[in-house]
């Protein structure tokens, strides 16, 4: 017999709470060629400044830009679902595989940070996670969650909400796939699937679809991120 205690006990409670929320799923595919190229161009520069640059900092920044347009997706809802509180800070959480198990630390105020600063903080969180040193200050206050299961594998997922948040997205692996271009020719494209789960008590499908389309447009044309740089 293996007792369920500590972090795993916390997970049991969190999952049971989330299970009570009626969710709906929405999925789409993202053409990653633009982001693959951009990351390849910037990776060494980031490395020269001591930071490992993955896709995630761009994906998080894209989410923050889209959340500006759809603030209800960046909110908390109380247990009885009587009040939905839009959060000003985009504290984007990331499901992280650590030796202590699944943890979901967040990067605070993504809306105010550069892609480089997000990458830097992500590196720090990964280091803390692997050393088992993530604390309450890293784990509390998330407002929107992404789970990059695609690093491990897989294409689609049914992510579970991190209550009281109302939206979570899971990313599949980036894979080379055949797709038709404008001339009806089959060409290779780098494709990543996203699977969203949303709290259907406070979010409707149209809002989620519009948010996803906007987020996707920032990833497919990452130069668009420059337009909203401050
Ligand atoms: N598909 C293909 N390659 C990917 C990828 C994807 N979806 N996401 C990242 N990669 C690449 C990165 O670009 C990087 O490539 P290089 O070695 O060439 O630089 C490499 O894979 C490793 O990236 P990473 O792990 O640092 O990627 P990240 O910053 O996006 O992810 C983190 C960080 C914390 C999400 C990840 O380490 C992790 O723990 N993933 C597991 C998530 C998880 O447990 N989910 C479970 C949820 S429900 O139980």
């Amino acid at each position: 017999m293996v007792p369920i205690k500590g972090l795993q006990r916390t997970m049991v409670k969190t999952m049971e709470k989330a299970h009570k929320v009626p969710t709906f799923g929405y999925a789409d595919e993202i053409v990653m060629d633009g982001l693959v190229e951009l990351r390849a161009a910037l990776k060494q520069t980031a490395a020269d400044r001591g930071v490992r640059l993955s896709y995630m900092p761009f994906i998080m920044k894209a989410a923050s830009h889209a959340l500006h347009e759809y603030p209800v997706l960046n909110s908390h809802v109380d247990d009885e679902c009587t009040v939905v509180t839009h959060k000003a800070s985009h504290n984007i959480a990331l499901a992280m595989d650590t030796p202590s198990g699944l943890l979901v630390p967040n990067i605070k105020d993504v809306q105010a940070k550069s892609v480089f600063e997000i990458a830097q903080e992500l590196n720090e969180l990964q280091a803390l996670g692997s050393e088992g040193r993530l604390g309450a200050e890293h784990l509390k206050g998330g407002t929107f969650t992404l789970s990059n299961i695609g690093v491990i594998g897989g294409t689609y997922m049914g992510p579970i909400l991190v209550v009281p948040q109302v939206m979570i997205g899971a990313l599949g692996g980036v894979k080379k796939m055949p797709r038709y271009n404008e001339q009806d020719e089959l060409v290779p494209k780098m494709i990543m699937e996203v699977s969203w789960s949303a709290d259907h008590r406070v979010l409707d499908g149209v809002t989620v679809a519009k948010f996803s389309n906007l987020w996707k447009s920032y990833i497919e044309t990452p130069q668009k991120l420059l337009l909203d740089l401050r």
Side-chain angles (χ1 to χ4, degrees):
M1 283 201 301
V2 181
I4 297 175
K5 55 184 190 182
L7 189 65
Q8 214 184 343
R9 189 77 221 141
T10 311
M11 181 133 137
V12 169
K13 288 188 186 145
T14 316
M15 292 300 156
E16 283 177 351
K17 243 178 156 181
H19 186 62
K20 294 188 183 135
V21 178
T23 55
F24 71 96
Y26 178 88
D28 200 359
E29 69 170 39
I30 320 294
V31 178
M32 293 287 284
D33 296 66
L35 187 52
V36 168
E37 200 181 320
L38 181 63
R39 183 186 84 116
L42 297 176
K43 204 176 154 188
Q44 190 55 49
T45 308
D48 292 344
R49 292 163 65 181
V51 167
R52 208 165 46 78
L53 185 65
S54 63
Y55 303 119
M56 196 45 96
F58 299 95
I59 291 172
M60 286 180 148
K61 196 66 187 171
S64 174
H65 280 315
L67 288 172
H68 271 300
E69 296 295 317
Y70 299 96
V72 66
L73 271 64
N74 190 62
S75 61
H76 283 181
V77 69
D78 62 320
D79 283 348
E80 290 74 37
C81 198
T82 54
V83 184
V84 56
T85 308
H86 294 199
K87 297 287 186 180
S89 294
H90 297 167
N91 297 344
I92 301 189
L94 190 66
M96 198 172 272
D97 186 33
T98 76
S100 344
L102 172 68
L103 290 176
V104 194
N106 63 81
I107 297 188
K108 307 225 166 21
D109 292 310
V110 167
Q111 80 284 357
K113 290 179 176 157
S114 67
V115 167
F116 183 79
E117 286 167 331
I118 298 167
Q120 205 166 26
E121 213 170 309
L122 180 56
N123 283 194
E124 284 160 18
L125 289 177
Q126 277 175 295
L128 289 171
S130 63
E131 294 158 12
R133 293 200 298 122
L134 284 171
E137 70 274 27
H138 308 111
L139 299 168
K140 285 201 165 150
T143 58
F144 178 95
T145 297
L146 290 169
S147 172
N148 186 3
I149 194 74
V151 185
I152 318 286
T155 306
Y156 308 102
M157 200 188 170
I160 308 276
L161 285 177
V162 183
V163 287
Q165 296 167 38
V166 299
M167 185 82 179
I168 181 169
L171 310 172
V174 181
K175 302 183 187 90
K176 194 185 280 185
M177 303 290 286
R179 290 292 180 271
Y180 285 102
N181 67 12
E182 307 259 303
Q183 290 75 43
D184 277 348
E185 300 154 339
L186 270 182
V187 291
K189 292 272 175 198
M190 298 303 280
I191 300 290
M192 181 185 77
E193 312 287 336
V194 60
S195 306
W196 299 108
S197 289
D199 184 336
H200 214 343
R201 298 171 305 174
V202 294
L203 298 176
D204 58 66
V206 170
T207 309
V208 167
K210 285 182 175 170
F211 163 83
S212 182
N213 285 344
L214 183 57
W215 170 78
K216 167 177 159 140
S217 75
Y218 281 116
I219 298 175
E220 292 193 338
T221 313
Q223 297 88 331
K224 266 183 75 176
L225 290 170
L226 289 174
L227 279 182
D228 297 308
L229 265 190
R230 293 205 173 86

